[in-house]
Amino acid sequence: MSGHSKWANIKHKKARSDEKKGKVFTKIAKEIIIAARDGGGDPDNNPRLKALIQKAKGVNMPNENILRAIKRGTGEIEGGNIEEVTYEGYGPGGVALMLSIVTDNRNRTAADIRHLFSKHGGNLGEAGCVSWMFRKKGLLTLNSEDIGMDADEFMLIAIEAGAEDVREDSGVLEVITSPEDFSTVKEQLENYGIRFDSAQVAMVPETIVDVNDLETAKKVLKLVDILEDHDDVQEVYANFSIPDDIMEKVQLQ
C-alpha cells in the first residue's frame, strides 16, 4: 500500500481546480446518501455518516451540500436510485485493483470501467479475483515530518490508542486500525494535534507487488489516475509499491 499511499499523498497536497473540487463534492455526497440511507441521518448513531461528514468538511464541502445529501439518503428529498458495487481487476505489471463504485446505472458504469481497464493495459476481472488479497481496515496516513514528535513516540501513542500497526515508508506514515476502532484511534491521535492527509476505512492489501520498472510504473499510475477521475468511482485500492527513485522520475515527466 505504501507506494499507492505516497502517490495519494502527493496528489492530496496539489492545489485542486474548482472543477476537481466540484467532482470531489459529488463523490462524497453519493457516499453520504448511501450512509444515511443505510444507517439513518443522525451521525451520532451512524459512525459511517459521522466519518463522511468529517471527510466532507475536510475538503470544505458546503454545509448545505452535506445536509441535502443526508436528506436524500433518508428520503426527505427525492432523488434517483443509487447503489454500491465493487469491481476488481488487474493493472499493468499484475497489480491488483479494487474499485468502490456508487452508480445509478450499473450497466453504463461497467462498460465505462471495462473500457478504461482495456485501454490502459489492464483487465477487468470477475468478482473475487483480487479481493482475497485485501482486508478492510481503518487507514490513516500522513507525512512523517508533520507528526510534531519523535516517530517512535508517535508509534507508541498510536498503538496505545488502539492501532493494530504503524508503518513508515519513504516519509509516509500509515496507521492501520480495525474498522471498528477507526474513529476512536483517529480522535485520540487528533487530541495530540495530529492532522492526517487522509483518513478512511479502506481495503488494505496483504500482498504487495513491487513495480521497479519506470514504464510499468507510469502505466500503473496513469490507470489509477484515470479510474479515480471517473464520476462513479469513489475509491481505487491497489497493491503496488514503487521505489522512491522510480516515483521521482515519474513526477518529473
Side-chain angles (χ1 to χ4, degrees):
M1 188 68 183
S2 43
H4 188 216
S5 293
K6 185 173 184 181
W7 179 247
N9 279 13
I10 290 168
K11 293 198 299 178
H12 177 88
K13 293 178 184 297
K14 291 180 181 178
R16 288 186 176 274
S17 66
D18 289 340
E19 180 184 354
K20 273 285 189 184
K21 196 170 279 189
K23 181 168 288 192
V24 170
F25 291 168
T26 300
K27 291 190 176 190
I28 296 176
K30 288 181 180 180
E31 289 188 276
I32 290 174
I33 291 168
I34 294 283
R37 184 189 70 190
D38 294 347
D42 182 0
D44 290 333
N45 295 315
N46 187 340
R48 181 183 179 187
L49 178 60
K50 183 177 181 179
L52 285 169
I53 291 172
Q54 292 174 345
K55 180 179 179 181
K57 290 182 176 179
V59 294
N60 298 316
M61 185 171 171
N63 284 331
E64 59 263 31
N65 294 36
I66 298 172
L67 292 173
R68 185 165 57 247
I70 292 173
K71 288 180 178 179
R72 276 194 62 187
T74 58
E76 296 174 67
I77 296 176
E78 290 187 7
N81 183 47
I82 60 175
E83 59 180 326
E84 287 183 291
V85 292
T86 300
Y87 292 154
E88 305 175 35
Y90 288 94
V95 168
L97 298 168
M98 286 188 68
L99 280 61
S100 174
I101 303 280
V102 176
T103 179
D104 60 2
N105 188 326
R106 187 189 287 232
N107 291 336
R108 180 205 65 218
T109 302
D112 286 351
I113 300 302
R114 184 175 291 106
H115 171 72
L116 293 176
F117 266 91
S118 178
K119 183 178 179 180
H120 296 280
N123 292 287
L124 184 63
E126 298 295 327
C129 68
V130 302
S131 58
W132 59 273
M133 302 182 199
F134 296 79
R135 292 290 180 270
K136 182 178 277 191
K137 297 289 184 182
L139 179 64
L140 305 158
T141 66
L142 74 163
N143 193 303
S144 58
E145 296 178 355
D146 297 335
I147 57 177
M149 64 182 73
D150 179 77
D152 289 338
E153 181 184 0
F154 172 79
M155 291 180 186
L156 181 60
I157 290 171
I159 296 298
E160 288 179 344
E164 294 181 353
D165 193 14
V166 180
R167 306 169 185 170
E168 182 176 15
D169 182 64
S170 304
V172 176
L173 281 166
E174 297 177 341
V175 180
I176 311 295
T177 78
S178 69
E180 297 76 17
D181 293 336
F182 169 72
S183 294
T184 300
V185 173
K186 180 176 179 288
E187 289 174 7
Q188 289 195 34
L189 291 176
E190 285 177 339
N191 287 338
Y192 284 89
I194 295 165
R195 295 295 177 264
F196 297 98
D197 290 334
S198 65
Q200 61 181 321
V201 175
M203 299 303 294
V204 177
E206 296 191 327
T207 303
I208 300 295
V209 172
D210 292 319
V211 179
N212 298 309
D213 173 71
L214 176 59
E215 290 306 311
T216 303
K218 287 163 61 177
K219 290 176 182 177
V220 168
L221 294 174
K222 179 69 171 177
L223 175 58
V224 170
D225 235 359
I226 287 172
L227 289 171
E228 287 181 334
D229 203 43
H230 190 281
D231 289 346
D232 296 337
V233 176
Q234 299 299 112
E235 298 288 347
V236 178
Y237 305 116
N239 72 339
F240 65 82
S241 180
I242 299 175
D244 285 353
D245 59 329
I246 300 294
M247 187 72 83
E248 287 169 5
K249 290 176 182 177
V250 171
Q251 288 179 258
L252 290 173
Q253 296 186 5

